[in-house]
Amino acid sequence: MGEKNQNQLDINGPNFNPNVYLDKIFKECTLRQIMDHENEIVKDTQTLHSDMQTLVYENYNKFISATDTIKKMKNDFKKMEDEMDLLMTNMDSITSFSEKINSNLQDTREKICHLSGVHSLLQRLQFLFKLPATLKSRMDEKNYIQATQDYLHAQRVLQQYGDMPAFQGIKGDCESILDELKNELRKQFSDPSASTAELTESVDLLLQLEEPAKELCTDFLSCADKRLCEQLVLLKDESEQRGIAEFIDLGCTGFLSDLCLIVASFHGMFINRINTENIENSEIFENFAAVELDSFVNENMKKYFDLVKNKVDSEQDIADTSTLVGALDNFYMRVCDNKFSNSTSFAQFAIEIISNAGRKQCKAHLQLLKLAFSDTVSRVKQVLTAPKLVSQDESSKSLNELLNSMIVTVVEKTKGVLQDLVAFINPEVSFAKKTAFTEQFCIGNVREGLIICFLRHISVSVKNFCSKGVLDAKIHPSLILLLSRFCLDFRNNSVRFLISKTDEIFNANSKRNGIELTNESDISNSMQESAQYLLNHYVQLQGHNCSQMLRKSVETRDWLHTIEPRTVRAVMKRVVEDISVIDATVALVYEDQGTTTGNSSDSSRKTHSISVSKVQYKSNWSSYTPSHLDSTLVSNMHKLFSERIDIFSPVDFSKVSILTGIIKISLKTFMECVRLKTFSKYGLQQIQVDTHYLQLYLWRFVADENLVHFLLDEILGSAVHRCLEPVLMEPSVVDIICERG
Amino acid sequence: MSNENSVIYGLEFQARALAPQLAETEKIRFVIGTQSLKQANNQIHLVEFNEEISTIKTSVFHHSEGEIWKITTSPLDSSRLATCYNAVASENSCAFRTAILRLPEMENPDSIENLEIVTKFDTSEFGAETKTTEFHPTDSAKAASVIDNNVVLWDVADSHAKAITKFQLEGKHNPKFTTGKWNPHQNCNQFTAASETHLKTYDSRTGDLAWQIDGAHHQLVRDLDYNMNKQYHIATCGDDGFAKIWDFRQPASPVYSSNEHSHWVWCVRFNHFHDQLLLTASSDARVLLSSAASVSSENVCDTDDSRGAQVKQLLPDGPLQWCDHEDSVYCAEWSPSEPWVFASLSYDGRLLISRVKKSLKYQIML
């Protein structure tokens, strides 16, 4: 509303309302102001009026000039109309003239057209007539591609008009040349020097010439086959002279790359190409070609694998593992990289070959280890049988050293072999990632086939040193003792070490599924068994050695006619000496385990025991007064109260136990020999002296001295039984004789 | 170990002579000779074992000539037996003798008799120690004695034996024979004797050495026995604790060897019927029954024998059964009449008559 009011008040606006304006002025302004305003408005009105007058004047002038112009135009149009009519008549006359000319020229034109057609026909005919010659020259130039293209140009014509007599000759010529060409091309198949690329080209051309694809395909493959065969023969020849690495290299660069090329070109030529041209047959043919190719590749790869396998197998003795692994790696990568065939996975075969190689390597290593082991043992044997070392100390040192060096040698050798074999599962080696291989190799070959086998071999071969029936003196007893200790040490430390080392290096533990793992304890047990067996054997051997001396000494003497004993017989001293030596030797090897009683006794114990034993001795002896001698009652009573003595109870791995065993065997023998003899009084007394002497010196070697006493009592008892005049010597005299030595 | 099926018979004296009564084929009888330097005390015991009721019947005879070291029985005449004995002459001397004795037909239950001496031998010219006198297996008039380094062949038809021939062993260190035995095969013309670690076999007709096995054991050979069913097989045992079976056509190595005993093996015997059973006695106070089936006559598939038509499951080689004694066992013998009974004698005068375990028996028979 306010706006409207304002608009109404705007003197220049379109809605100006003079009454409202005036009302407003009258209301708001003073008289004076109104007066002024009136003047102003009058002045404005006057100026506006004059302005309007000038405008009207100007526009009037313009209107007059426009009217003039229109008049002039009217005249001009009339003139133009006339001229147009004139033009029309002219055009009509021109048209009639041109028609006349056209009809005059018609004939000539038709003639020219005909002539040009005849010309082109003649040109083509000329090409046809020249074709045989061209083809021939192309053939001479060996430009087979051009020749083929030329022929293809002419082919349709020849096909169409071939029956006409004029063309028959040409067709015949062409076909014969073409046959020649085809032959030439096929010849290239069989040309050994032709490269695969050339072959491909030839096949390509032949295909263009619409040779039957199947036939070509088989031809191609048979040619390729021949070439590959040559490669293989070459490889075979080389295989005998070259190292494995070179051989694999040769195979990869020669055979495999050729095969690749053949397969690739075959794909290019036969399989992919057919697709584009003949869709109906393509599928059938493609299948056919694929099958052909597959069988071809399979056959050749098989031959190649056989060759590689033979090579790997025939590698002499033991190849350098890293070289072998390198070669195999190369081989595997090449085989895997090349996708020869969709259906067959050659990687599988390759893995098989590599596994074989791994197994063979393990076996070879095993053989080496066995050899090394037997070498070590025979070296030790030599050292032992070599002339005695000067002093006891030295020999003692050497025995321990021998043992240690033996263990160290064997363990180090084995470790070395493991390190060597690690190459097979080096993560950088391509085939090491294949679980099929690693599992078989790590567990089957290395762990079971090598380490376990070797350990078993040790425990078995060591046993063979004293196999049945070989209880002879050729083998140095110390060797047996040493080997026994060796087995024991191996059981205690090295077996676990080696097996855990193997497991660690070859991750055998993580892949427990599949192959059954031999338990460490199995090996330990068999080691322990061997150690025990050897130790038993040692005891038997030494026992028999002492027995032999005792037996000879008893058998060769005439006990019925002997003089009164004055000394201990030398044999007894010898036996004691021998046992002391054995004791010293055994102490070197089994010293640390001699935890049983007697060994470390001090002097006080010694005197004590002697006194005790003397008491026992006397008390026992006293029972053998002549009056009782005719009865076995006493000894039987004695037996009732004493424990039954096993002559040969199992020996522990301790010095005392070993010596107890030896002494038991010796004393038992002594008794048996005594029982076979008949004694006079003095003979019996000699035995009395001897047994007393043994008693004085042997107790210290055994765990239970009562055992020695008991056996010696038995000996003396037996002697008493076998005596015609059983009168014993005074114990004091016996003491004196024995102390005198 | 298997005392449940054995019977014990104790003697008063020590003994080391035991023999089966070879000619007796119905009763299970063994003869024992005692060893005592008090020579009047020595006896011969004839022990008869009744298998059905497991009892023992004994007859005792005096053998006052001396302590008996070895008894053998005639395989032809059940009443005849030979002893090798040590006769004490004075305080300081004694001498080995041998004689053939006769067991009386009828037993006199009231008194203990001395056995009648049928044949006397004069051995003094051949040596001091008579180890054994062996009856000829087929000729009752022949016997052979092993004396020191001689094997003497006797004609024993009369009361005084006449020496027919002798085979002498020569060598360094005065070698002596330890024992000997007739070869029951090849017309019983061979006599095998053991000396130290060797076996020597003489042809009794010519006196030539027929064959020998040198170094059969690593120590002294104590005893030998022929396999009755396999003509080239002989078993030996010795001080090395081994028992071995040899095919004496291949003397280089034994066909069977076992080392189960822990001391000397004194006696080895093939079972007369089932030669896969081998009995050994040792001074480790044990008797071992072991299987040597792999080299036994039963190992071959005998086609002529209708019973053995089907191939039998053989026992594995190795120990089968132990008998424990208290003292050294010097003798163990199979009964010649009953295949499953054997006797063993230990030095303390204890005779153990044992049976083969039933399970083993069935295994062998079936």
Side-chain angles (χ1 to χ4, degrees):
Chain A
M1 210 46 188
E3 212 175 283
K4 202 175 177 181
N5 280 342
Q6 258 182 346
N7 283 348
Q8 283 172 344
L9 292 180
D10 183 8
I11 204 159
N12 293 324
N15 299 326
F16 182 65
N17 192 336
N19 292 334
V20 178
Y21 187 75
L22 280 178
D23 281 350
K24 191 190 168 218
I25 296 236
F26 289 150
K27 272 181 204 164
E28 290 175 358
C29 302
T30 57
L31 187 65
R32 186 98 191 137
Q33 275 173 326
I34 294 169
M35 295 284 286
D36 286 350
H37 196 66
E38 196 208 351
N39 284 340
E40 224 173 276
I41 288 172
V42 171
K43 241 191 240 169
D44 282 352
T45 314
Q46 279 172 348
T47 23
L48 281 171
H49 196 76
S50 69
D51 280 355
M52 196 177 73
Q53 270 180 342
T54 41
L55 276 173
V56 169
Y57 179 75
E58 274 173 11
N59 283 336
Y60 184 75
N61 273 351
K62 279 178 188 169
F63 182 71
I64 286 173
S65 72
T67 315
D68 286 350
T69 313
I70 288 166
K71 263 183 192 160
K72 225 172 144 187
M73 270 171 69
K74 243 180 191 166
N75 286 337
D76 287 352
F77 271 120
K78 238 185 195 128
K79 233 184 192 168
M80 215 152 71
E81 220 164 63
D82 294 343
E83 276 172 10
M84 281 304 284
D85 283 344
L86 194 69
L87 184 69
M88 219 188 283
T89 52
N90 285 345
M91 279 306 289
D92 278 349
S93 66
I94 287 167
T95 312
S96 63
F97 273 127
S98 80
E99 269 172 8
K100 250 185 212 161
I101 291 164
N102 224 357
S103 60
N104 287 342
L105 286 179
Q106 188 72 24
D107 275 355
T108 348
R109 207 183 288 141
E110 268 173 17
K111 264 179 200 160
I112 288 169
C113 266
H114 186 69
L115 279 176
S116 74
V118 169
H119 177 72
S120 74
L121 194 64
L122 280 175
Q123 245 179 357
R124 276 157 73 180
L125 275 176
Q126 194 186 12
F127 177 75
L128 268 183
F129 287 126
K130 270 193 190 164
L131 185 61
T134 346
L135 285 179
K136 217 164 222 160
S137 69
R138 299 272 190 237
M139 288 285 291
D140 291 345
E141 290 164 29
K142 301 219 180 260
N143 193 347
Y144 301 122
I145 301 173
Q146 196 58 50
T148 314
Q149 274 174 4
D150 285 352
Y151 174 75
L152 286 178
H153 274 305
Q155 194 184 27
R156 201 185 299 167
V157 182
L158 282 176
Q159 264 174 6
Q160 212 165 355
Y161 302 106
D163 301 336
M164 284 161 72
F167 290 108
Q168 259 172 357
I170 295 172
K171 197 187 173 192
D173 281 358
C174 281
E175 274 173 356
S176 69
I177 291 172
L178 209 64
D179 281 346
E180 202 179 318
L181 172 65
K182 283 178 186 170
N183 278 340
E184 201 65 36
L185 287 174
R186 282 187 191 214
K187 227 182 264 169
Q188 280 193 340
F189 276 5
S190 49
D191 181 8
S193 61
S195 70
T196 312
E198 282 172 332
L199 261 183
T200 315
E201 187 191 294
S202 309
V203 172
D204 204 26
L205 291 179
L206 281 171
L207 274 178
Q208 285 182 29
L209 291 175
E210 294 194 346
E211 281 292 292
K214 280 189 181 181
E215 199 180 300
L216 267 183
C217 162
T218 39
D219 271 6
F220 178 77
L221 285 183
S222 71
C223 278
D225 200 32
K226 252 183 236 159
R227 291 157 54 77
L228 289 179
C229 268
E230 277 162 28
Q231 287 270 15
L232 285 173
V233 168
L234 186 77
L235 270 181
K236 203 169 190 174
D237 292 347
E238 294 291 321
S239 80
E240 279 155 25
Q241 296 149 20
R242 304 205 180 207
I244 177 100
E246 256 184 289
F247 172 79
I248 295 284
D249 245 14
L250 209 64
C252 288
T253 52
F255 176 82
L256 283 182
S257 49
D258 260 16
L259 188 62
C260 279
L261 210 55
I262 286 166
V263 170
S265 49
F266 189 89
H267 267 281
M269 283 183 299
F270 295 108
I271 296 179
N272 295 340
R273 173 200 188 84
I274 299 291
N275 257 344
T276 59
E277 288 177 359
N278 194 344
I279 293 170
E280 286 152 48
N281 286 332
S282 73
E283 207 155 300
I284 300 166
F285 176 75
E286 203 178 323
N287 278 342
F288 168 79
V291 167
E292 284 287 296
L293 181 66
D294 258 8
S295 70
F296 165 77
V297 169
N298 281 347
E299 206 164 293
N300 277 294
M301 281 309 274
K302 197 170 157 262
K303 282 184 197 159
Y304 178 61
F305 280 142
D306 280 352
L307 208 60
V308 173
K309 205 168 150 191
N310 282 340
K311 175 65 181 167
V312 170
D313 282 351
S314 69
E315 265 305 86
Q316 291 194 338
D317 299 337
I318 191 150
D320 178 31
T321 308
S322 55
T323 323
L324 180 68
V325 169
L328 289 174
D329 186 26
N330 196 354
F331 167 71
Y332 182 73
M333 278 205 292
R334 287 302 299 250
V335 171
C336 285
D337 284 353
N338 299 324
K339 296 263 180 278
F340 301 119
S341 162
N342 307 326
S343 60
T344 322
S345 149
F346 292 109
Q348 195 83 29
F349 291 111
I351 284 289
E352 226 162 77
I353 287 177
I354 291 165
S355 285
N356 259 337
R359 189 175 315 130
K360 195 172 149 275
Q361 194 74 353
C362 284
K363 273 188 185 152
H365 273 303
L366 178 62
Q367 216 50 44
L368 274 191
L369 278 180
K370 284 180 179 175
L371 273 181
F373 178 67
S374 69
D375 274 0
T376 314
V377 171
S378 57
R379 200 170 45 76
V380 169
K381 209 192 234 164
Q382 268 176 3
V383 173
L384 283 176
T385 45
K388 274 245 166 197
L389 291 155
V390 192
S391 74
Q392 192 71 35
D393 281 347
E394 267 183 59
S395 83
S396 77
K397 222 172 127 197
S398 80
L399 211 58
N400 252 334
E401 269 172 19
L402 271 179
L403 179 66
N404 284 334
S405 80
M406 218 169 132
I407 292 174
V408 167
T409 317
V410 172
V411 171
E412 286 305 317
K413 275 256 161 63
T414 318
K415 258 161 72 180
V417 164
L418 284 180
Q419 288 303 340
D420 192 30
L421 288 176
V422 162
F424 270 102
I425 55 156
N426 190 334
E428 282 164 24
V429 175
S430 54
F431 53 77
K433 284 158 207 139
K434 297 283 166 200
T435 47
F437 166 74
T438 45
E439 198 158 307
Q440 172 68 24
F441 178 75
C442 292
I443 297 177
N445 296 347
V446 176
R447 192 182 191 276
E448 299 294 320
L450 180 69
I451 299 300
I452 301 288
C453 257
F454 178 56
L455 292 175
R456 281 199 194 286
H457 168 78
I458 289 180
S459 71
V460 170
S461 70
V462 149
K463 261 190 182 175
N464 284 341
F465 276 97
C466 46
S467 62
K468 290 193 179 238
V470 195
L471 196 71
D472 57 13
K474 274 185 209 154
I475 292 170
H476 201 278
S478 299
L479 177 67
I480 306 242
L481 186 69
L482 210 63
L483 285 177
S484 142
R485 178 73 206 199
F486 172 78
C487 282
L488 195 67
D489 281 1
F490 232 76
R491 182 194 89 90
N492 289 340
N493 303 314
S494 306
V495 168
R496 170 166 306 152
F497 172 74
L498 284 178
I499 289 182
S500 62
K501 182 105 184 160
T502 313
D503 288 353
E504 179 195 312
I505 296 178
F506 290 94
N507 289 323
N509 267 332
S510 61
K511 294 170 241 163
R512 242 171 213 294
N513 50 348
I515 311 161
E516 191 78 11
L517 285 182
T518 310
N519 212 334
E520 177 196 309
S521 63
D522 281 359
I523 301 296
S524 292
N525 286 343
S526 83
M527 278 288 176
Q528 163 113 40
E529 209 176 274
S530 295
Q532 183 75 56
Y533 185 85
L534 285 166
L535 198 63
N536 288 353
H537 188 77
Y538 175 75
V539 168
Q540 257 174 335
L541 197 65
Q542 293 289 25
H544 280 296
N545 287 346
C546 288
S547 309
Q548 199 76 358
M549 272 193 299
L550 286 165
R551 183 169 75 86
K552 283 276 182 303
S553 80
V554 175
E555 273 183 2
T556 50
R557 200 175 173 107
D558 182 359
W559 293 97
L560 277 173
H561 307 97
T562 182
I563 51 160
E564 192 172 2
R566 305 207 176 279
T567 57
V568 180
R569 281 187 302 146
V571 176
M572 295 302 152
K573 292 180 185 167
R574 177 79 198 282
V575 166
V576 171
E577 264 169 36
D578 277 9
I579 288 180
S580 307
V581 170
I582 292 170
D583 180 62
T585 314
V586 173
L588 297 175
V589 181
Y590 278 103
E591 194 165 37
D592 45 341
Q593 300 192 353
T595 49
T596 33
T597 53
N599 200 17
S600 58
S601 67
D602 49 23
S603 57
S604 67
R605 192 186 121 73
K606 183 176 170 183
T607 50
H608 171 71
S609 73
I610 278 187
S611 63
V612 167
S613 75
K614 270 181 189 164
V615 169
Q616 263 188 345
Y617 196 59
K618 276 174 192 160
S619 67
N620 274 343
W621 263 210
S622 64
S623 64
Y624 290 116
T625 51
S627 58
H628 291 101
L629 280 175
D630 51 359
S631 156
T632 57
L633 190 66
V634 177
S635 70
N636 282 342
M637 288 288 282
H638 188 86
K639 270 182 195 166
L640 274 180
F641 294 109
S642 68
E643 262 182 51
R644 179 192 160 83
I645 293 178
D646 271 327
I647 301 311
F648 200 85
S649 46
V651 186
D652 297 337
F653 294 103
S654 72
K655 191 188 76 168
V656 175
S657 174
I658 293 168
L659 279 146
T660 308
I662 294 169
I663 288 171
K664 272 200 292 192
I665 290 180
S666 309
L667 293 184
K668 177 74 184 176
T669 303
F670 194 12
M671 179 169 80
E672 291 299 333
C673 293
V674 163
R675 283 182 178 181
L676 285 173
K677 288 285 166 184
T678 311
F679 295 89
S680 65
K681 184 174 87 179
Y682 293 137
L684 172 65
Q685 289 178 354
Q686 180 69 60
I687 295 292
Q688 189 186 1
V689 169
D690 289 350
T691 50
H692 188 73
Y693 179 82
L694 287 180
Q695 172 142 25
L696 283 180
Y697 290 95
L698 288 186
W699 66 267
R700 75 186 72 183
F701 299 118
V702 299
D704 178 12
E705 55 192 86
N706 286 327
L707 187 84
V708 174
H709 296 165
F710 174 72
L711 282 170
L712 290 170
D713 279 359
E714 285 260 292
I715 292 170
L716 194 57
S718 293
V720 167
H721 276 292
R722 297 298 312 153
C723 183
L724 292 173
E725 189 193 352
V727 178
L728 285 168
M729 218 178 218
E730 271 298 304
S732 56
V733 181
V734 174
D735 273 349
I736 291 167
I737 293 177
C738 286
E739 267 156 38
R740 216 166 39 194
Chain B
M1 190 194 271
S2 58
N3 282 353
E4 76 277 356
N5 60 356
S6 54
V7 177
I8 298 173
Y9 174 64
L11 283 75
E12 289 170 68
F13 303 101
Q14 290 175 336
R16 59 161 74 225
L18 168 74
Q21 204 171 25
L22 286 174
E24 176 59 65
T25 53
E26 280 165 20
K27 294 169 182 161
I28 303 170
R29 281 179 157 185
F30 295 97
V31 188
I32 310 167
T34 63
Q35 188 186 33
S36 166
L37 281 171
K38 296 228 159 187
Q39 62 185 41
N41 289 343
N42 285 304
Q43 296 168 335
I44 288 178
H45 291 236
L46 179 66
V47 179
E48 183 177 331
F49 177 61
N50 186 329
E51 213 213 339
E52 280 170 22
I53 52 175
S54 288
T55 53
I56 280 175
K57 196 175 88 183
T58 55
S59 331
V60 183
F61 308 99
H62 278 303
H63 187 275
S64 49
E65 285 80 12
E67 53 168 10
I68 300 168
W69 283 82
K70 175 94 181 180
I71 282 189
T72 51
T73 60
S74 162
L76 301 169
D77 181 351
S78 62
S79 66
R80 271 149 66 100
L81 55 90
T83 55
C84 296
Y85 57 93
N86 183 21
V88 179
S90 66
E91 280 291 281
N92 252 344
S93 74
C94 53
F96 270 94
R97 301 255 162 72
T98 183
I100 295 179
L101 310 172
R102 182 197 296 281
L103 290 165
E105 294 284 316
M106 293 294 293
E107 206 177 318
N108 187 346
D110 301 329
S111 65
I112 299 176
E113 298 175 37
N114 238 351
L115 285 176
E116 177 197 349
I117 296 184
V118 181
T119 311
K120 284 182 181 160
F121 294 81
D122 186 8
T123 59
S124 55
E125 61 173 300
F126 300 107
E129 238 175 296
T130 308
K131 290 291 188 187
T132 181
T133 298
E134 297 279 331
F135 289 99
H136 191 276
T138 54
D139 187 348
S140 61
K142 272 192 195 165
S145 293
V146 177
I147 308 165
D148 276 359
N149 62 339
N150 293 307
V151 174
V152 185
L153 201 61
W154 307 97
D155 178 352
V156 292
D158 295 330
S159 61
H160 280 276
K162 281 174 281 192
I164 303 170
T165 176
K166 66 167 184 177
F167 324 123
Q168 201 161 12
L169 180 68
E170 310 265 334
K172 280 184 273 183
H173 312 303
N174 298 323
K176 287 180 180 176
F177 288 120
T178 47
T179 185
K181 219 163 220 179
W182 287 98
N183 182 350
H185 306 291
Q186 291 164 355
N187 293 330
C188 310
N189 281 323
Q190 290 185 345
F191 190 86
T192 305
S195 164
E196 282 292 320
T197 63
H198 318 298
L199 288 185
K200 308 272 180 197
T201 300
Y202 299 94
D203 190 312
S204 65
R205 295 162 297 188
T206 61
D208 293 340
L209 198 63
W211 53 265
Q212 58 180 344
I213 299 175
D214 284 339
H217 288 261
H218 295 293
Q219 297 181 39
L220 196 75
V221 176
R222 286 279 165 195
D223 195 19
L224 57 100
D225 193 36
Y226 273 98
N227 187 337
M228 300 294 280
N229 308 323
K230 216 171 175 185
Q231 65 171 335
Y232 298 111
H233 276 203
I234 185 168
T236 60
C237 60
D239 286 1
D240 56 1
F242 277 87
K244 297 179 180 179
I245 297 175
W246 303 80
D247 182 330
F248 57 72
R249 294 166 298 179
Q250 297 156 3
S253 64
V255 291
Y256 169 92
S257 166
S258 84
N259 184 17
E260 297 296 335
H261 288 290
S262 57
H263 205 249
W264 301 354
V265 184
W266 284 79
C267 180
V268 62
R269 289 290 179 265
F270 283 111
N271 188 302
H272 301 269
F273 304 92
H274 303 282
D275 52 72
Q276 57 178 296
L277 294 174
L278 200 67
L279 200 60
T280 47
S282 159
S283 41
D284 63 2
R286 297 210 276 189
V287 176
L288 170 64
L289 174 65
S290 46
S291 159
S294 66
V295 293
S296 77
S297 63
E298 282 154 87
N299 193 13
V300 274
C301 205
D302 33 9
T303 43
D304 52 326
D305 193 349
S306 57
R307 288 172 303 152
Q310 76 247 41
V311 181
K312 272 193 280 186
Q313 189 83 41
L314 287 168
L315 290 170
D317 287 1
L320 300 174
Q321 191 174 333
W322 295 94
C323 296
D324 284 337
H325 283 263
E326 296 292 323
D327 205 336
S328 304
V329 188
Y330 298 126
C331 285
E333 295 283 354
W334 289 102
S335 160
S337 53
E338 166 59 48
W340 311 109
V341 170
F342 59 91
S344 52
L345 180 68
S346 58
Y347 190 58
D348 53 7
R350 184 176 303 194
L351 179 77
L352 212 59
I353 295 182
S354 322
R355 292 191 191 90
V356 177
K357 273 193 226 158
K358 276 216 175 80
S359 54
L360 292 172
K361 191 162 139 182
Y362 293 142
Q363 253 179 297
I364 290 165
M365 287 203 303
L366 300 177

